[in-house]
Amino acid sequence: MKRCPAEIDAAQQPDLACLQSLLFDEEQGPAELARMYKNEGNEYFRERDYKRAVIAYTEGLKKKCEDPELNAVLHTNRGAAQFYLGNYRSALNDAVQAKKLKPTHLKAIIRGALCHMELKNFSEAIAWCEEGLRIDAKEKKLVEMRAKADKLKRAEERDARKAKVMEKKEQCQKEILLAAIKERNIKLVLEPSNEEEELAHGLAEISLDGFHSDNATGAKVHLDADGNLNWPVLFLYPEHEQTDFIAAFHENSRFIDHLMLMFAELPPWDLERKYLPSNLELYFEDEERAEMYELNPEHTLLQVLQHESQKVIVKPVLLTCTVL
Amino acid sequence: ETETGSGSAAHGPPRAALSELSALLAPAAGEAVRAGAAETALALSGSAAGRRMLAGRPAVVAALLELAAGPCPPAARDALGCLVNVSAEPAAHGPLLAALPTLLGLLPAGPACGVLANLCRERGAARRVLRGLRERGSGLTPLLQALGEPRPPPQLGPLLCNLSQLPEGRRGLLDRSRCSVQRLLPFTQYKDSTVHRRGVVGALRNCCFEAEDHEWLLSEEVDILPFLLLPLAGPEEFPEDEMERLPLDLQYLPQDKQREEEPDIRKMLLEAIMLLTATKPGRHVVRDKGTYVILRELHRCEQEPDVLAACENLIQVLIGDEPGPGMENLLEVKIPEEVEEQLQRGDREEERWRREEEEAGGSTPCPEEPSG
């Protein structure tokens, strides 16, 4: 046998169990035992068996020996093993403990700084580097890590600034859009899903977040370069359970123009050949009153939207289309 | 010369009081008496005449220094505070330099930095301080480390600035094996102390005289340019393509971003960038990193004539043609004798003009704020 089995079963390998009990004799002082576990942990570490290394170092720490130096090493080494397992939080905790036990332990400080890098706490990483550089001002790893952390921190700060600017810009555009809608005397209602408190604000201070609620296609009402509104419009054909969707319906286009295009050819589901542009009737629904209003296909979208009973939800304008 | 107007009339005739003072500051006088004497000395150093009197007494300066390094905190604080003021007087430099090891032992405490900053205005004294620091084994390291503290002493900036007037001081700040000049950079935006900020910017400008370090200073490793430009940038918004071409630190600055409010600091920043453009690779990086855009906006709102002139000079370099062969390094270009003479005459005139201005303004020396 060249390698020691990881788990020793006394019944199956009495000789090994005997050796082990010799090695880890309870009569030895806690410091010797802790040192033994440290060496065992180091063996595992060298074999890149980090899980077993963690277990060994933990056993060593459990001995609670009175040698702070040894405990600092146990913590540092366990931290290193945890680090390679990707457990950066645990690794950091060990580095903190090790540093507490031995404030000049450079390896622990480097480990702590590395953990903060992985956890993307760049300011903390810099602080740990500083602490290490106070012990050795030329420690290469720390000099380099500090530079890297500084760079990443500055990049992160820039990203945060950019996000803020973008958010502001978006907010500004929404306000312009809302003003355009108000200017046209179009009545807006909130989506039913919105919070009650937002409903309390009423139409005047409508929550702009409604504009965020993208429908499945991502189409939203928007202002084009000429200052005209374009709306998403959904046509429903209840008779056949079919729909048509127009992502950007120009407010000055007439319904008939769209219908002419949409029904230039008979849709495949219209087996009875009834859906000809001239035959179509269009309705919109006042959801509150549960009433249907017929609209004139010769009218533009804007005219319809300005109808006193039309209330637009910030999702697509819903129209029902049936045949005469 | 009468010195009765020293403002500390409560202490009797100053000359007699001074002899007494040095006796009261000596160890034999006992702790309470020495503390009282230190307090008196501090009050006396508040006036120019008082400073001159104290500085003329080497025994007093030595006794104050001994007290400053002593174990009694209030007396040490008063003694050191007094020394900061007294060190503005050239007469005090002799006795202070004689006790240099004691003084260096007090670093990096703020007042000790202040005393040394005042001393180091003279090149000779700066040289001795640098030698003293080297002999202690650590060089500039303790000063650089103090920069990493949450609240570095504001007098540290002026001290580093004055030390960097010498090549050997610059070498310490430009040590590539450790984090040296990099620690100075964030302080170009330091709002807590104008004194410290001014000193740090001065030190950075001094470092920019080292042409062989330009490439390193502008490289990723140090990345000095954004730190020099950021205080010159305002809240202006740029088109997205222009914005994305700027160094990250200058992108998407908030609406409340303010420019450096001190004109002399703005000027030093511009001069530092100007120095960086003295070499060809330096010019290349400075041009490449959107410097022009920042300066264009600065130029629009700059009110101070000499800052404006510095800004225009720099813009000229940025938009001008590359100089011909043999002239690439502007710091090494041989200047014809007659041109040099002309320039020196101009400098002398400017100096005289400045002196007259100062005298006319009646400005008093400000001991706590040494210039670089």
Side-chain angles (χ1 to χ4, degrees):
Chain A
M1 192 193 316
K2 282 188 182 157
R3 291 174 59 91
C4 176
E7 240 68 65
I8 298 169
D9 183 351
Q12 279 186 7
Q13 293 149 320
D15 44 347
L16 272 180
C18 205
L19 273 171
Q20 191 193 31
S21 74
L22 270 176
L23 274 172
F24 295 90
D25 190 346
E26 288 304 322
E27 275 169 32
Q28 296 188 65
E32 279 92 79
L33 287 171
R35 198 160 291 123
M36 219 103 74
Y37 279 116
K38 184 196 83 179
N39 292 337
E40 191 187 295
N42 289 356
E43 280 298 324
Y44 285 131
F45 194 96
R46 234 164 279 145
E47 292 166 21
R48 300 188 186 180
D49 188 346
Y50 301 118
K51 274 187 188 155
R52 290 217 171 82
V54 167
I55 294 167
Y57 294 131
T58 306
E59 284 302 315
L61 285 165
K62 273 189 196 159
K63 295 298 159 208
K64 292 194 177 8
C65 79
E66 311 227 315
D67 181 356
E69 190 117 347
L70 178 56
N71 285 333
V73 171
L74 282 165
H75 272 298
T76 307
N77 291 4
R78 188 171 72 177
Q82 294 282 27
F83 184 88
Y84 285 109
L85 288 169
N87 304 330
Y88 304 120
R89 276 273 152 224
S90 309
L92 180 60
N93 286 338
D94 272 319
V96 170
Q97 289 301 326
K99 188 166 68 122
K100 218 179 262 171
L101 289 163
K102 191 186 171 196
T104 57
H105 198 43
L106 210 50
K107 273 189 179 173
I109 293 174
I110 295 172
R111 181 64 55 201
L114 281 167
C115 290
H116 277 304
M117 288 294 275
E118 292 293 337
L119 294 165
K120 306 210 183 304
N121 304 329
F122 302 124
S123 300
E124 287 289 319
I126 292 173
W128 278 67
C129 288
E130 283 291 318
E131 211 166 322
L133 290 170
R134 266 197 287 278
I135 298 160
D136 178 0
K138 291 191 174 192
E139 210 320 305
K140 210 165 173 241
K141 267 190 213 144
L142 289 174
V143 171
E144 282 168 10
M145 202 187 327
R146 192 191 181 283
K148 197 171 154 197
D150 188 56
K151 197 150 209 70
L152 290 166
K153 184 178 155 217
R154 283 154 57 201
E156 198 180 61
E157 284 165 356
R158 175 265 190 193
D159 289 345
R161 287 197 304 271
K162 181 173 179 177
K164 220 171 165 183
V165 167
M166 291 304 173
E167 194 186 314
K168 207 165 176 189
K169 216 181 237 174
E170 210 170 293
Q171 185 75 15
C172 189
Q173 274 167 355
K174 276 187 218 158
E175 269 159 35
I176 292 169
L177 183 59
L178 190 60
I181 294 172
K182 271 189 163 175
E183 189 189 284
R184 287 164 173 75
N185 274 326
I186 298 170
K187 293 176 242 8
L188 275 178
V189 284
L190 288 168
E191 282 190 88
S193 63
N194 277 5
E195 299 291 314
E196 265 180 52
E197 54 174 286
E198 284 183 22
L199 278 165
H201 285 222
L203 282 179
E205 292 169 60
I206 183 170
S207 159
L208 290 160
D209 289 343
F211 290 102
H212 268 308
S213 62
D214 301 12
N215 48 63
T217 59
K220 281 189 266 188
V221 52
H222 64 271
L223 274 169
D224 61 23
D226 302 322
N228 292 307
L229 284 173
N230 288 271
W231 296 79
V233 174
L234 185 64
F235 291 81
L236 305 175
Y237 314 110
E239 191 184 1
H240 294 279
E241 295 183 338
Q242 295 291 336
T243 60
D244 266 317
F245 182 68
I246 296 173
F249 195 127
H250 193 283
E251 59 182 341
N252 294 332
S253 306
R254 297 177 310 161
F255 285 91
I256 189 66
D257 302 331
H258 280 281
L259 292 175
M260 293 291 277
L261 274 176
M262 280 152 53
F263 293 96
E265 282 176 40
L266 282 173
W269 41 262
D270 181 22
L271 299 173
E272 296 166 58
R273 303 172 156 270
K274 297 195 297 187
Y275 280 73
L276 302 168
S278 53
N279 290 346
L280 294 171
E281 273 179 1
L282 272 169
Y283 298 89
F284 66 84
E285 189 186 355
D286 183 339
E287 281 187 60
E288 240 170 76
R289 286 188 240 167
E291 278 174 39
M292 300 288 278
Y293 292 88
E294 187 173 357
L295 60 89
N296 181 352
E298 298 285 334
H299 280 172
T300 64
L301 174 59
L302 184 60
Q303 282 173 304
V304 173
L305 290 171
Q306 286 169 331
H307 187 282
E308 58 166 57
S309 293
Q310 174 64 297
K311 289 181 189 120
V312 181
I313 310 180
V314 271
K315 65 190 181 190
V317 180
L318 269 180
L319 294 164
T320 312
C321 191
T322 51
V323 183
L324 279 171
Chain B
E1 192 185 355
T2 57
E3 273 150 352
T4 41
S6 69
S8 48
H11 303 290
R15 274 184 201 287
L18 266 181
S19 321
E20 240 176 89
L21 193 60
S22 59
L24 296 177
L25 285 166
E31 204 171 287
V33 173
R34 292 176 85 196
E39 209 182 323
T40 307
L42 177 61
L44 202 56
S45 71
S47 74
R51 280 196 291 281
R52 269 200 296 279
M53 280 194 300
L54 288 167
R57 294 271 173 154
V60 172
V61 175
L64 282 168
L65 198 53
E66 203 199 305
L67 205 52
C72 171
R77 200 182 45 233
D78 287 349
L80 202 49
C82 176
L83 285 175
V84 173
N85 292 343
V86 170
S87 62
E89 295 296 323
H93 289 190
L96 281 172
L97 282 171
L100 196 56
T102 314
L103 208 46
L104 295 179
L106 295 172
L107 284 176
C113 290
V115 174
L116 286 165
N118 277 342
L119 266 180
C120 291
R121 282 200 233 179
E122 286 174 21
R123 289 173 73 91
R127 190 164 289 125
R128 283 189 58 183
V129 168
L130 280 168
R131 200 189 310 138
L133 284 169
R134 251 195 324 278
E135 277 160 11
R136 291 174 71 84
S138 43
L140 293 181
T141 305
L143 300 179
L144 291 169
Q145 274 173 358
L147 285 174
E149 300 292 330
R151 286 196 149 270
Q155 299 90 337
L156 192 50
L159 174 57
L160 290 170
C161 179
N162 291 351
L163 289 173
S164 66
Q165 66 181 306
L166 297 174
E168 55 262 48
R170 294 198 283 275
R171 259 200 299 285
L173 289 181
L174 294 167
D175 184 343
R176 300 186 188 196
S177 68
R178 62 185 84 209
C179 185
S180 48
V181 70
Q182 291 95 329
R183 277 182 215 268
L184 290 172
L185 299 176
F187 291 103
T188 63
Q189 285 287 311
Y190 191 62
K191 293 279 170 275
D192 290 359
S193 162
T194 306
V195 174
H196 184 53
R197 190 169 74 244
R198 178 178 286 121
V200 166
V201 171
L204 288 175
R205 186 196 52 177
N206 286 346
C207 286
C208 290
F209 275 98
E210 299 295 327
E212 59 268 41
D213 286 304
H214 281 180
E215 264 181 275
W216 178 68
L217 284 169
L218 289 164
S219 74
E220 291 276 290
E221 250 175 283
V222 183
D223 204 13
I224 192 173
L225 188 61
F227 292 94
L228 298 175
L229 281 173
L230 189 51
L232 300 172
E236 292 84 11
E237 274 182 51
F238 298 111
E240 200 154 333
D241 60 321
E242 221 168 50
M243 185 73 93
E244 296 281 337
R245 247 181 293 137
L246 288 172
L248 288 185
D249 305 81
L250 295 160
Q251 289 182 15
Y252 302 102
L253 298 178
Q255 300 258 284
D256 57 357
K257 169 72 176 71
Q258 281 175 348
R259 290 194 167 81
E260 169 60 59
E261 53 190 26
E262 301 290 326
D264 66 314
I265 301 183
R266 287 201 299 277
K267 187 158 171 263
M268 281 196 283
L269 289 163
L270 288 165
E271 286 165 351
I273 302 171
M274 185 68 152
L275 285 165
L276 289 172
T277 64
T279 52
K280 195 172 180 182
R283 272 194 299 282
H284 185 74
V285 177
V286 174
R287 276 198 192 120
D288 210 39
K289 295 235 169 130
T291 308
Y292 173 71
V293 183
I294 303 292
L295 295 185
R296 185 186 65 201
E297 299 304 319
L298 173 69
H299 190 267
R300 278 195 191 136
C301 61
E302 182 59 63
Q303 303 286 328
E304 294 288 326
D306 49 346
V307 184
L308 201 61
C311 184
E312 280 166 10
N313 288 345
L314 184 49
I315 288 178
Q316 274 308 317
V317 172
L318 293 180
I319 62 177
D321 293 331
E322 271 296 303
M327 309 274 271
E328 280 105 342
N329 186 340
L330 302 179
L331 288 176
E332 284 170 6
V333 170
K334 263 235 153 307
I335 298 163
E337 253 174 63
E338 66 270 18
V339 175
E340 184 155 10
E341 205 174 296
Q342 209 178 341
L343 287 172
Q344 277 174 356
R345 210 166 36 239
D347 280 352
R348 273 197 300 275
E349 229 153 79
E350 199 185 311
E351 181 70 21
R352 203 187 58 224
W353 172 79
R354 209 187 350 254
R355 242 198 332 269
E356 279 169 9
E357 176 116 311
E358 257 171 33
E359 278 161 18
S363 67
T364 47
C366 186
E368 279 88 3
E369 292 191 15
S371 62

